[in-house]
Amino acid sequence: MSERTPDLSLRWRWPQPPSREARDTLFMLALIAWTMAPHLPTLPVWVSVVSLGVLAWRARLAWTERPLPGRWSLIALVVLTGALTYWSERTLVGRQAGVTLLVVLMAAKTLELKARRDALVVFFLGFFLVLTNFLNSQSLLTAVGMTLSVWGWLTALTLAHMPAGTPPIRQAASLAAKATLWGTPVMVALFLLFPRLGPLWALPTDGARTGLSDQLKLGDVAKLATDDSIALRIRFTGAPQPANSLYFRGPVLTDYDGERWRASPGRPRPDLAEQALEARPLRYEMTLEPLQISWLPLPEFTVDKPVANPPLATLPAGPDNAGQWSLSAPLTQRVRLSGQALAQHPVRSLSDNARARLTALPPGKHPRSRAWALQLRSQPALQGATVPQLVEAVLQHVRQENFVYTLSPGAYLGDAVDEFWLGRRAGFCEHYAASFVVIMRAMGVPARIVTGYQGADKLLQDGQQVVRQSNAHAWAEVWQPEVGWLRVDPTAAVAPERVQQGQTLSAPPGLVLGAFDAVSPGLRQTLRRWAETLDNRWNVWVLSYGKDQQKQWLEQWGWGKVDAVSLLRLIVLIAATVGLLGALWAWRESRRQAPWQRLTQKILAELQGAGVAATAAQDPHTWALALRGKHGAAAQAATQALLDLHAQRYAPKNAQERGQNTTAWWRGFRQAMRSIPKPR
């Protein structure tokens, strides 16, 4: 007799929690970690350590079914949390401090889950924590992640209301999903129809990064060269503009103390709008990300006030005499603009005071560069030269010498301009623009630095040209009498591809991204464009859905006057209609009967018509006996039909499925009942 061969296959299975309470607790802890995860990168490191440590501690207690810590341990944790919050934020009030306390105390609350009331507090704190994630970001990815969080919290709430047995989490998740789907039409209707109100408070959106600045010191702009986040999107009327003509004018730096260039708002020039009407403007629509600066980087040369959505109360009627569009407060929200730009710089005058200020250099600064400029100016070929000739002579020097355009030129010690211009000769746009302006001022030519963005991605997204933070650029402007300001981009002399084709410098990819590109070159860029396109559509269709979009949408559907009163009336009408339909559905559900109940009523009606006393509480076998006792052999066929129904009704489930069709049985039973004489 052969022995049984043992099963040597190894099948790994997830370890099962010891009880339902442990399982539900572990599910809730994982849900808390998922909900607070987007907050952790924006909070101090100690928040991640404390909150995740507390969640891990609580998970261990749940798995081992050990008692929860005492009251003094919780008090010590709360005091420690408050002290660390005050140490890192210097306050216990405010958005950042409030989110910090909420994240840590949310984790700490799980250490006192002793009653149903404590669980409900955790559930509703979880829903509130979901809302706070939108204070940092309102992107599509955040919306998807928090939708999953809401589904998870509804699942946990459903589990809490299923106390009997051990219902699977999948069943609770299915019920929560159905409840969410039932509420989705109401949510969509309120989003589309509720009157659009202005923001009750100002909050930064989408985790904006600082783009340009109103100050410049050699090395500052390099920090943006590796930032590929989107700064703006723009669509021109007609064909897209070439990269070498895409200049977005930001702060104009005129004041210089020898180390740092600074911008200062100029005087408004309302007469420039008339020039925009006389010339042929280039119309555009653009979306600006929250750049956290007080200057709008608009296309050169925008001289007419653009239309902003949402409206910017601080947007001036026109640019100042430096061509800047300055705001009284930093831009902290995404805004869409529709405007027009001229093809060339408007002609302006330059006063004597402005000329003196734009040719001034700090005493004792850059002696070698200033001496070099004077030596160049004194050459016989440049005696009586015009401003364009002087500019060309300086740019020719850049082309002939070993200047290098690089992302990491290294630190410049001492006099940065002298060391760059006459020494190392390695830098990026700000080195070339700042040194060029110093040289031109040393030769007595009014000059200034203009910062902004230059160029755009080669491929369009939704028909729009995308400008990134890596397109941040600095160039120069020089004054030519009787002509006005001339744009000069010294970077084009050493790196023409940067200006002509809009190619920006970028840091080499890391290990993961490098391996990704090695497997499929170009796939990473394709996926990024796909994700950015989706995010842009989310911004346009959802986040930018304001009063104007609501009015336009309702007018397309034939709605006449669109105001707050009419919208509220429409919402009330829809709510009343939905309530009436719900009441009708509830009434129908209350009168709905199972198939067996309907069949029972029809059988009882036939039996009562034949004079047989029968009730719904009896079974078909009892009905058959009563029918036989009343009519004898005349009811043989109907009696046998009832006995067959009884056998099928109380047979095993598989036998019921193999039984005859109820409709066919009813036709046979009714035919048999017609042969029975009716009582007078």
Side-chain angles (χ1 to χ4, degrees):
M1 183 175 180
S2 60
E3 295 183 358
R4 185 180 225 176
T5 304
D7 185 9
L8 300 179
S9 61
L10 298 178
R11 299 180 61 186
W12 185 86
R13 296 181 179 179
W14 285 98
Q16 296 298 321
S19 63
R20 178 195 169 177
E21 182 180 357
R23 184 204 65 178
D24 294 351
T25 302
L26 293 174
F27 174 75
M28 184 181 63
L29 296 176
L31 185 59
I32 293 174
W34 171 269
T35 307
M36 68 170 54
H39 278 304
L40 299 182
T42 64
L43 298 177
V45 178
W46 69 264
V47 177
S48 302
V49 175
V50 173
S51 56
L52 296 180
V54 169
L55 293 180
W57 182 21
R58 183 63 180 89
R60 179 177 175 81
L61 295 178
W63 189 270
T64 58
E65 295 187 334
R66 294 182 179 178
L68 298 179
R71 182 179 300 273
W72 288 109
S73 299
L74 297 177
I75 294 176
L77 180 59
V78 171
V79 172
L80 177 63
T81 300
L84 290 175
T85 303
Y86 187 82
W87 171 72
S88 58
E89 304 296 337
R90 299 302 178 186
T91 182
L92 293 179
V93 296
R95 182 174 68 89
Q96 194 72 2
V99 172
T100 300
L101 290 173
L102 177 63
V103 169
V104 181
L105 296 181
M106 176 73 180
K109 182 63 179 176
T110 61
L111 295 175
E112 59 171 3
L113 286 176
K114 300 178 180 179
R116 180 183 178 88
R117 178 182 59 85
D118 298 326
L120 293 177
V121 170
V122 172
F123 294 152
F124 291 109
L125 279 178
F127 286 114
F128 187 75
L129 187 62
V130 168
L131 293 177
T132 58
N133 279 285
F134 292 100
L135 299 179
N136 294 327
S137 174
Q138 298 176 10
S139 65
L140 178 60
L141 183 61
T142 301
V144 172
M146 292 305 101
T147 300
L148 295 178
S149 291
V150 171
W151 183 24
W153 285 111
L154 290 176
T155 301
L157 194 60
T158 304
L159 281 174
H161 288 81
M162 302 170 68
T166 309
I169 295 180
R170 180 168 48 187
Q171 178 184 357
S174 176
L175 292 175
K178 291 179 181 178
T180 303
L181 291 177
W182 276 106
T184 299
V186 178
M187 178 190 68
V188 173
L190 290 176
F191 174 79
L192 293 175
L193 301 177
F194 199 83
R196 316 309 290 182
L197 304 176
L200 301 180
W201 57 79
L203 292 174
T205 60
D206 218 33
R209 300 178 181 179
T210 302
L212 302 176
S213 174
D214 56 358
Q215 299 183 15
L216 184 150
K217 185 178 180 181
L218 295 187
D220 284 356
V221 180
K223 300 175 183 179
L224 295 176
T226 57
D227 186 357
D228 283 338
S229 61
I230 295 178
L232 60 94
R233 294 178 174 89
I234 189 166
R235 177 190 288 112
F236 292 94
T237 301
Q241 296 300 302
N244 59 355
S245 65
L246 288 178
Y247 280 85
F248 300 89
R249 191 182 188 88
V252 180
L253 313 181
T254 56
D255 300 335
Y256 183 47
D257 60 4
E259 293 185 358
R260 188 176 297 275
W261 295 84
R262 292 180 173 84
S264 59
R267 297 187 305 274
R269 291 290 304 270
D271 58 304
L272 296 178
E274 300 177 358
Q275 300 184 33
L277 297 177
E278 295 174 358
R280 283 190 173 183
L282 183 64
R283 302 185 182 276
Y284 62 86
E285 295 180 356
M286 65 184 302
T287 302
L288 270 176
E289 299 296 320
L291 302 175
Q292 299 289 353
I293 59 174
S294 300
W295 278 267
L296 296 181
L298 300 182
E300 290 191 323
F301 303 95
T302 300
V303 295
D304 197 11
K305 182 178 180 179
V307 178
N309 183 29
L312 292 176
T314 60
L315 185 63
D320 57 22
N321 56 359
Q324 304 172 113
W325 288 86
S326 58
L327 304 174
S328 60
L331 183 65
T332 58
Q333 60 179 338
R334 184 179 290 105
V335 62
R336 302 179 67 187
L337 299 168
S338 299
Q340 53 188 8
L342 298 181
Q344 60 183 6
H345 208 302
V347 179
R348 300 167 181 169
S349 60
L350 191 66
S351 63
D352 294 337
N353 292 334
R355 180 184 298 272
R357 185 166 58 91
L358 293 171
T359 55
L361 290 173
K365 293 292 185 178
H366 323 310
R368 297 170 55 199
S369 299
R370 296 167 76 168
W372 182 91
L374 294 177
Q375 181 182 1
L376 178 66
R377 185 72 174 83
S378 61
Q379 291 182 2
L382 295 179
Q383 296 297 322
T386 62
V387 171
Q389 292 174 340
L390 294 176
V391 169
E392 181 59 28
V394 177
L395 296 181
Q396 189 65 27
H397 169 77
V398 175
R399 298 188 190 100
Q400 293 176 352
E401 298 297 329
N402 296 324
F403 282 88
V404 178
Y405 184 62
T406 176
L407 178 64
S408 50
Y412 280 93
L413 304 177
D415 196 313
V417 174
D418 285 351
E419 186 177 353
F420 166 75
W421 192 254
L422 301 174
R424 193 181 307 172
R425 295 188 175 94
F428 39 89
C429 57
E430 70 167 16
H431 295 85
Y432 290 94
S435 301
F436 178 84
V437 170
V438 169
I439 297 299
M440 298 307 297
R441 287 191 177 190
M443 291 191 294
V445 178
R448 61 192 183 187
I449 301 174
V450 183
T451 60
Y453 299 96
Q454 193 278 325
D457 286 357
K458 293 182 179 180
L459 299 180
L460 304 181
Q461 291 185 12
D462 280 348
Q464 296 177 314
Q465 293 179 274
V466 176
V467 180
R468 303 182 182 277
Q469 294 286 15
S470 55
N471 291 106
H473 194 51
W475 61 94
E477 285 184 344
V478 296
W479 176 263
Q480 182 179 0
E482 300 180 358
V483 175
W485 288 103
L486 301 177
R487 181 203 300 151
V488 181
D489 198 339
T491 305
V494 65
E497 68 279 357
R498 169 64 182 90
V499 177
Q500 299 299 326
Q501 303 177 16
Q503 296 181 0
T504 60
L505 292 175
S506 60
L511 179 61
V512 177
L513 296 180
F516 197 86
D517 291 339
V519 173
S520 178
L523 179 59
R524 178 166 60 94
Q525 300 297 331
T526 302
L527 293 177
R528 185 180 70 171
R529 287 195 301 270
W530 177 74
E532 290 175 346
T533 300
L534 287 181
D535 195 62
N536 180 55
R537 294 181 181 180
W538 168 262
N539 295 333
V540 173
W541 296 342
V542 178
L543 298 184
S544 299
Y545 184 76
K547 183 178 181 180
D548 296 336
Q549 288 80 359
Q550 185 184 57
K551 180 179 179 181
Q552 181 180 4
W553 180 76
L554 290 175
E555 288 177 350
Q556 290 177 352
W557 285 89
W559 191 263
K561 183 180 179 181
V562 180
D563 54 14
V565 176
S566 60
L567 289 176
L568 291 177
R569 289 176 179 173
L570 179 59
I571 292 175
V572 172
L573 177 62
I574 293 177
T577 303
V578 172
L580 179 60
L581 294 176
L584 292 175
W585 178 81
W587 175 79
R588 179 177 177 274
E589 287 294 315
S590 65
R591 298 180 61 86
R592 177 187 289 184
Q593 293 179 333
W596 173 252
Q597 292 176 324
R598 292 195 298 268
L599 181 61
T600 299
Q601 290 183 355
K602 292 191 293 183
I603 294 174
L604 293 178
E606 289 291 335
L607 294 177
Q608 291 172 1
V612 178
T615 63
Q618 298 170 339
D619 55 15
H621 185 269
T622 305
W623 297 337
L625 295 179
L627 182 61
R628 180 182 297 174
K630 181 70 176 178
H631 295 283
Q636 180 63 31
T639 301
Q640 186 60 42
L642 290 174
L643 293 176
D644 294 341
L645 179 63
H646 179 82
Q648 180 182 351
R649 172 69 175 170
Y650 296 101
K653 185 176 181 181
N654 55 356
Q656 293 179 14
E657 295 175 354
R658 295 193 304 266
Q660 61 178 338
N661 183 270
T662 304
T663 304
W665 179 92
W666 167 250
R667 286 199 298 265
F669 175 74
R670 190 176 182 185
Q671 185 67 26
M673 290 295 294
R674 289 177 180 175
S675 62
I676 301 175
K678 304 296 181 181
R680 295 181 181 180

